[in-house]
Amino acid sequence: MTEDLLAESSKSQVQDLGPSIPTRANWAEEAVAAHAGAEHLTREEQVLARIAKARARKPKIKEKRITLSHGAGGKATQTLIEAVFLDAFRNPVLEQLEDGASLATAAGRLAFTTDSYVVSPLFFPGGDIGDLAVNGTVNDLAMCGSRPLYLSCGFILEEGFPVADLQRIVASMAAAAQAAGVQIVTGDTKVVERGKADGCYITTAGVGLLERPTVLSAAAAEPGDVVIVSGPIGDHGITVMLARGELDIEADIISDTAPLHELTANLLDATGDGVRLLRDATRGGVATICNEVAVASQVAVVLDESSVPVRPVVNGASELLGIDPLYVACEGRLVAVVAPDRADAAMAALTAHPLGAGAAVIGTVKDDPPGLVLLRTTFGGTRIVDLLVGDPLPRIC
Amino acid sequence: MKFVDEFRDAGTARVLATKIAALCEPGRHYKFMEVCGGHTHTIYKHGLEDYLPETVSLVHGPGCPVCVIPMGRVDDAIAIAEHDDVILTSFGDMMRVPGGRGSFFDSKAAGADIRMVYSPLDALKVARRNPDKRVVFMAIGFETTAPSTAMTVLRAAADGIENFSIFCNHVTIIPAIKAILDSPDLRLDGFIGPGHVSTVIGCRPYDFISAREGKPLVCAGFEPLDILQSVYQLLLQLGEGRCEVENQYSRVVPWDGNPKALQVIGEVMELRPHFEWRGLGFISQSALQVKAKYATFDAERIFNVPGVRVADPKACQCGEVLKGVLKPWECKVFGTACTPETPIGTCMVSSEGACAAYYNFGRFSRERVKEATHS
Amino acid sequence: MCLGIPGEVIELMAEHEDLAMVSVEGVKRAVNIGLLREDGVLDLAPGDWILIHVGFALSKIDEAEAKASLDFLTGLGDAYTEELEALAASDIT
C-alpha cells in the first residue's frame, strides 16, 4: 500500500484541464492597477532603490477593519498610528512619537505618558496585569529620562469578574508602586457586560519630572554610537505565550517585569549627555526599537547576533514555535544608544545594578545603508532585520 | 542547543567555503535548486550566501506547501469557517495567505472563528473542548506533515470524536520536482534535496532524478553547515563525473524513510486524480484526499465547498518564482503592489516563500550589507 | 512549516502509550511518538533524541551519524590546517 502511494505519485503529470473559467480576485487586480505605469526595472539595484522610496512614502491605511496585527507593535501598528492618530491629532509634541511626551510648563519640564494593558492571561509566572501596568508606565517615564512621580489608573471590568482576582491585581499594583517610588493618585472604574472585556483591562497615565537637561530622541543616533541592551531578551513574551496553556508547553521561565527608573537614573548620571536614546523593549522587541532608530536617525544599526543575550530556554521555546527572540516583548529590559566614548561608563553603571546585571553591547550605528537594521549572524553571514509584519504573539502586554 | 549549534559553527563554515571555492571550475557557473521552503528560510536567516562564491547560485524551488495553495482553496476554507458553528484551525503560516476575498486573518477580523494551532493534535483538543461546535483543521504540507494529520484522524476515530474533520490540502513532493525538471526555461546542475520530507519517503524516490534526468541530488539538513556541506558534495559529484542521490542529513533521514508514517498516510488518505498547484497548474496524482472509509472526517464531504477557481492576477509571477525561473526581485510586482504587508501572492506571505525571505532578510545589495557588518 | 527541531526524550508517559515528554533546551512538551512505533515495537528510551515536527516525532536522531557528520566537517578543517602547515613547512627551492 505504501509503495503504491509513492509509485503512483511518481507517475504524475502536469495537465491541461480545459476551459473551466476561473474568476479573478478583484482586490489583487486593483492593487496591481494602483501601481500600473511603474516601469519594470531589470536591475536588482533599481528594484531595491524603488522599494526604499516606497517605504519612505506617507503611510496610508488600507484595511477596512482592525486586525490583531494592528496591535503587534510592528509595521501595521506604525501605519495605524501615523495614518489615523497622528494625522488627526497632529502637533509637534505628538510627532516625536517617543515613549512619553516631554512638556514644557511654567513649573518646569514634565514627562507625560499613557498606556493600556490587555494581557491574556491576567496572571502569569513572575507577575500579573497589575505589575505590568505600574512597571510599564514607570518605564515609559524613565525612558524619557524623567523621575516618575504620579500615576492614574482606569479599570474596565467585566461583569462576573471575581473580586478576589481584582484584589490580587490591586495588591500587585500597590507593591509595584511602592517599589518604584510612585503614587497612584487618581483613577476610574467602569463595568461592561459579560463577554465584553475579557476579565479586566487597565489604562494608565503617568507624570514624571524632567530634572536633567538631557534630551533623548530616536532621531539623535550618530555613526559610531553603541547599542546596549540591559539584560537577556524575550523572557516576558515567552512566559505569557506559554502561560496561555494552548500550546501544552512547560518551561522554567518567568516574566521579567520590573521598574527601570533607578537603572536609567544611574545610567544618565554616569554618562551625562552621552545617551542618545532609551527605550523599553516591549511589543515588537529589540528589533522594532532598532528599526525606529535607524529610520528616525537615518542611520544603519548593525547588530551582532552572538552578542545578544538570550536565555537558552527562551531560545528553545522560540525555535519550537518558529519565532525570533529579537521580536519578542520584554517588560523589564531597556535598549540604550550611547556615544562611543561613554560606552564603558554606561556598561559599568548598568551592570552595577541588579536589573542590569546581564547588560551587553549588542551592536553599533553606521552611516550606511541608512534606515536599515542589519544582523551579523552567529554563523558569520549577514541579513536584514526588518520590521515585523503580522503578530507572532498576540496580547502579550 | 545540541544537534543544532554544532551545525552552525562559523569556523567550520569558513573552511568549507574555501573547499567549495576550490571545487569550482574556472569560468563555470553552477545553479543548484534547493527544493524545501525550510532551506530557503535557513539560507536567508543565516546569511549563507556570503559563504558561496559568485559562481554558485542557489535557486529557490516549489517546496513551500503554503506557497502552492491556490487562492480558490483559501476561499473554500473561509466558506467553511463562515458557518456559525464552525471553528477553523490552522497553522500560523496560513493565516495571512490571501484568497480571492482576503485571508483567514481578514475573515477572523470580520467575525469568523479561526484559530491558530501548532499541531493537528491541538485542533483535536479544540474539538474535544467544544462539543457543540464543528472543528475543521486546515491540513497543509508535503509528506512531512501528512502522517501527523493522518495519525490525528486515526486518534479521532479511535476516541469517537464526531465533531472533528480535516480540509485536506496535502501535496506530494515528487510531482513538484518533476514539474521543475519538465520546465523548459530552467537549466540546473543539481538539487539540494528535501530534508524532512525524506524522513518519511526516504531517498529512493529521487533515484529517477539522477538516473533518468542526469542531475545529482543531496538530501540536506536545515542547519547552515548542512546546506554548505550539501553544496560541497554536489560540486564533488560534478567534478568527479558522478551523478547520484546522497544523504547528507543521515542523522535524521533513514534511507528507507519511515514505513509506519507511509502506512498511516495510506490508511487514511489516497491520491487525488489531479490538483491545482499555484503557479504550476493542474498536476495529476500530486495531492492527497481523505479515503471514503474516513468520510466523517473529511470536511469536503461534510461541507458544501464552493470549489471556485480563482486566477492569479495577470501580473503575479509566483509560478515562475516557484519554479526558480525568476528571482524574487525580477517579478514585475515585487516591492510595489506586492510587499510583505500587502502580499499579492503566496511567495511573499509565507515565511518560507522566496520573495518574503528575500524581502525580509536578503534585500539590499549584498556588497553594502557585507561592508557594513564586517568593518 | 518544514520546521523540525531536535528534542531529548525525558520520559515515556505511562497514561498514554503514544506520548513522551520531550525537552528542547529546557522547554518541555508532550510529543506523540506513534510514528516511531512499528508493528507494536518502540525502540525509544529517555535520553534518546528525536526530530519533532508539529507535535509528532518523525525520526529518531542517529547519534553515531551525527558524530560522523560533525567529524567529516571538522575533519575538513583538520586536513585544511594540515595542508597549510605542510605548505608553510615545505621548501621547494
Side-chain angles (χ1 to χ4, degrees):
Chain A
M1 171 160 298
T2 61
E3 285 79 40
D4 288 348
L5 199 78
L6 293 175
E8 279 177 47
S9 185
S10 70
K11 293 195 216 111
S12 73
Q13 271 178 10
V14 179
Q15 297 177 317
D16 180 3
L17 274 199
S20 90
I21 299 179
T23 58
R24 292 211 166 270
N26 290 327
W27 64 267
E29 303 296 346
E30 281 163 26
V32 173
H35 286 91
E39 125 250 357
H40 178 54
L41 302 170
T42 49
R43 293 183 57 227
E44 192 176 2
E45 290 77 29
Q46 291 172 323
V47 174
L48 297 174
R50 165 191 279 157
I51 291 179
K53 231 173 78 181
R55 286 159 68 87
R57 264 201 291 269
K58 182 183 150 111
K60 252 170 50 179
I61 190 147
K62 298 187 175 82
E63 296 88 353
K64 298 236 176 358
R65 290 176 195 273
I66 297 296
T67 70
L68 287 175
S69 290
H70 291 112
K75 201 87 190 58
T77 307
Q78 246 189 26
T79 308
L80 185 71
I81 292 175
E82 291 178 22
V84 175
F85 301 127
L86 190 57
D87 204 49
F89 301 150
R90 194 171 293 280
N91 60 68
V93 181
L94 186 59
E95 271 167 1
Q96 309 286 329
L97 290 179
E98 298 286 342
D99 277 350
S102 298
L103 308 172
T105 73
R109 287 171 66 228
L110 296 175
F112 179 40
T113 187
T114 184
D115 264 308
S116 330
Y117 295 89
V118 298
V119 64
S120 171
L122 295 170
F123 301 97
F124 44 83
D128 58 45
I129 190 175
D131 290 299
L132 291 190
V134 170
N135 291 334
T137 316
V138 162
N139 290 346
D140 276 350
L141 291 172
M143 298 305 133
C144 296
S146 78
R147 176 157 63 92
L149 289 177
Y150 303 111
L151 259 53
S152 72
C153 66
F155 289 87
I156 300 179
L157 302 170
E158 183 184 357
E159 180 186 16
F161 187 59
V163 171
D165 283 352
L166 182 60
Q167 284 169 326
R168 253 179 93 182
I169 291 170
V170 167
S172 296
M173 292 177 78
Q178 175 143 64
V182 297
Q183 292 178 303
I184 300 175
V185 297
T186 183
D188 183 68
T189 311
K190 296 283 186 294
V191 177
V192 292
E193 293 95 325
R194 200 177 294 272
K196 305 270 186 192
D198 215 357
C200 167
Y201 296 146
I202 302 179
T203 311
T204 59
V207 162
L209 204 54
L210 283 164
E211 298 166 310
R212 297 183 178 76
T214 338
V215 173
L216 301 170
S217 161
E222 289 172 27
D225 284 348
V226 161
V227 181
I228 298 175
V229 74
S230 65
I233 62 174
D235 290 11
H236 176 77
I238 297 293
T239 301
V240 171
M241 193 67 192
L242 302 187
R244 262 183 218 148
E246 294 158 355
L247 297 169
D248 259 351
I249 291 175
E250 307 160 25
D252 200 4
I253 184 173
I254 65 172
S255 169
D256 52 24
T257 178
L260 299 174
H261 60 297
E262 275 178 11
L263 199 60
T264 53
N266 295 356
L267 179 61
L268 290 168
D269 284 341
T271 52
D273 59 356
V275 176
R276 316 284 193 210
L277 167 80
L278 294 172
R279 280 284 175 86
D280 60 339
T282 56
R283 271 174 336 172
V286 169
T288 302
I289 295 171
C290 292
N291 269 285
E292 286 169 5
V293 172
V295 170
S297 302
Q298 279 299 290
V299 292
V301 176
V302 180
L303 301 175
D304 180 43
E305 191 173 34
S306 47
S307 306
V308 179
V310 187
R311 288 193 216 282
V313 63
V314 170
N315 237 351
S318 302
E319 290 269 350
L320 208 53
L321 298 170
I323 57 186
D324 187 342
L326 281 174
Y327 294 97
V328 178
C330 317
E331 286 286 332
R333 302 281 179 243
L334 61 83
V335 171
V337 176
V338 175
D341 55 340
R342 309 294 174 87
D344 289 339
M347 283 296 293
L350 287 172
T351 49
H353 190 283
L355 289 174
V361 173
I362 62 170
T364 50
V365 175
K366 301 252 161 92
D367 60 350
D368 193 61
L372 283 188
V373 178
L374 306 175
L375 183 77
R376 178 131 202 261
T377 66
T378 37
F379 188 62
T382 46
R383 75 160 204 258
I384 291 178
V385 178
D386 208 343
L387 263 186
L388 209 51
V389 180
D391 190 352
L393 302 178
R395 304 267 303 279
I396 288 298
C397 59
Chain B
M1 282 186 68
K2 195 171 167 191
F3 296 119
V4 168
D5 292 339
E6 316 89 297
F7 292 94
R8 291 186 185 180
D9 180 59
T12 315
R14 278 192 286 278
V15 174
L16 251 184
T18 325
K19 295 273 170 179
I20 286 173
L23 283 176
C24 292
E25 272 175 44
R28 181 172 172 182
H29 199 102
Y30 299 88
K31 248 179 168 184
F32 298 125
M33 173 171 276
E34 40 91 359
V35 179
C36 261
H39 287 142
T40 313
H41 190 82
T42 298
I43 288 164
Y44 280 113
K45 181 175 152 180
H46 294 276
L48 212 124
E49 285 178 311
D50 285 359
Y51 283 94
L52 294 174
E54 300 256 316
T55 49
V56 175
S57 27
L58 298 181
V59 171
H60 312 301
C64 163
V66 171
C67 299
V68 298
I69 297 194
M71 285 204 258
R73 293 293 280 183
V74 175
D75 290 350
D76 290 343
I78 292 178
I80 295 174
E82 283 173 345
H83 289 82
D84 279 331
D85 67 329
V86 167
I87 301 175
L88 180 70
T89 53
S90 162
F91 293 139
D93 329 42
M94 271 308 300
M95 294 296 288
R96 290 179 48 251
V97 174
R101 294 184 292 133
S103 67
F104 286 1
F105 215 47
D106 296 326
S107 182
K108 182 173 146 75
D113 194 344
I114 303 183
R115 306 187 193 180
M116 198 177 93
V117 292
Y118 161 73
S119 162
L121 291 174
D122 294 336
L124 188 59
K125 203 196 305 185
V126 173
R128 285 184 219 266
R129 289 186 182 161
N130 294 275
D132 54 330
K133 299 274 190 181
R134 292 186 285 176
V135 175
V136 179
F137 174 63
M138 175 82 180
I140 58 169
F142 285 96
E143 291 96 327
T144 329
T145 321
S148 302
T149 305
M151 287 285 281
T152 307
V153 171
L154 290 174
R155 165 71 33 205
D159 290 354
I161 311 287
E162 291 177 350
N163 61 332
F164 175 78
S165 62
I166 66 169
F167 182 40
C168 191
N169 288 283
H170 284 298
V171 285
T172 52
I173 194 74
I174 297 296
I177 298 180
K178 285 188 73 186
I180 301 298
L181 290 166
D182 292 338
S183 160
D185 323 314
L186 194 57
R187 289 226 40 83
L188 290 174
D189 296 293
F191 287 89
I192 295 174
H196 295 137
V197 172
S198 310
T199 310
V200 174
I201 69 175
C203 302
R204 283 183 215 291
Y206 309 117
D207 282 341
F208 77 99
I209 299 171
S210 53
R212 288 199 324 253
E213 306 281 343
K215 312 280 180 204
L217 182 142
V218 177
C219 287
F222 291 86
E223 296 307 323
L225 281 182
D226 289 320
I227 299 179
L228 276 186
Q229 185 184 347
S230 304
V231 171
Y232 174 80
Q233 285 180 230
L234 282 168
L235 287 167
L236 206 58
Q237 284 203 40
L238 290 172
E240 293 173 0
R242 283 183 293 127
C243 185
E244 295 163 5
V245 175
E246 287 179 305
N247 182 7
Q248 183 277 336
Y249 200 18
S250 53
R251 63 188 185 274
V252 164
V253 174
W255 196 266
D256 293 318
N258 183 331
K260 171 73 179 278
L262 288 170
Q263 186 244 315
V264 303
I265 299 179
E267 167 67 22
V268 176
M269 300 170 190
E270 62 196 2
L271 284 168
R272 295 175 189 268
H274 54 255
F275 191 69
E276 186 181 8
W277 291 54
R278 180 150 196 180
L280 299 178
F282 281 91
I283 308 183
S284 64
Q285 317 285 70
S286 64
L288 296 167
Q289 65 189 7
V290 180
K291 276 180 160 162
K293 185 175 171 191
Y294 294 94
T296 50
F297 300 100
D298 184 2
E300 279 176 279
R301 287 178 165 101
I302 298 171
F303 296 93
N304 207 4
V305 185
V308 175
R309 280 190 65 212
V310 180
D312 290 343
K314 283 193 280 289
C316 175
Q317 298 183 283
C318 272
E320 281 118 307
V321 175
L322 280 171
K323 285 191 278 204
V325 170
L326 280 189
K327 289 216 160 294
W329 57 268
E330 289 173 331
C331 167
K332 291 192 180 66
V333 288
F334 177 83
T336 52
C338 190
T339 65
E341 278 169 274
T342 57
I344 302 266
T346 42
C347 298
M348 185 60 92
V349 97
S350 166
S351 58
E352 295 177 354
C355 296
Y358 179 73
Y359 192 104
N360 287 324
F361 292 148
R363 159 183 116 250
F364 217 87
S365 159
R366 255 185 294 286
E367 284 77 54
R368 277 170 86 181
V369 166
K370 260 168 102 158
E371 266 166 45
T373 50
H374 292 253
S375 52
Chain C
M1 256 262 19
C2 284
L3 215 56
I5 306 290
E8 184 181 0
V9 176
I10 302 293
E11 186 195 335
L12 296 177
M13 285 160 63
E15 324 83 82
H16 194 313
E17 61 162 16
D18 268 355
L19 285 185
M21 188 56 80
V22 175
S23 163
V24 177
E25 282 274 18
V27 181
K28 299 207 218 351
R29 178 178 161 127
V31 168
N32 188 307
I33 48 172
L35 293 170
L36 300 182
R37 184 191 301 279
E38 210 190 330
D39 296 327
V41 176
L42 176 72
D43 178 19
L44 199 68
D48 285 343
W49 283 72
I50 54 167
L51 186 80
I52 311 167
H53 172 72
V54 302
F56 285 82
L58 275 190
S59 162
K60 186 167 140 182
I61 298 184
D62 186 332
E63 304 210 25
E65 285 288 346
K67 184 167 188 307
S69 282
L70 280 174
D71 286 346
F72 171 77
L73 288 167
T74 45
L76 280 181
D78 288 344
Y80 186 61
T81 5
E82 275 166 27
E83 229 172 86
L84 280 182
E85 284 169 356
L87 187 70
S90 81
D91 185 352
I92 56 167
T93 58

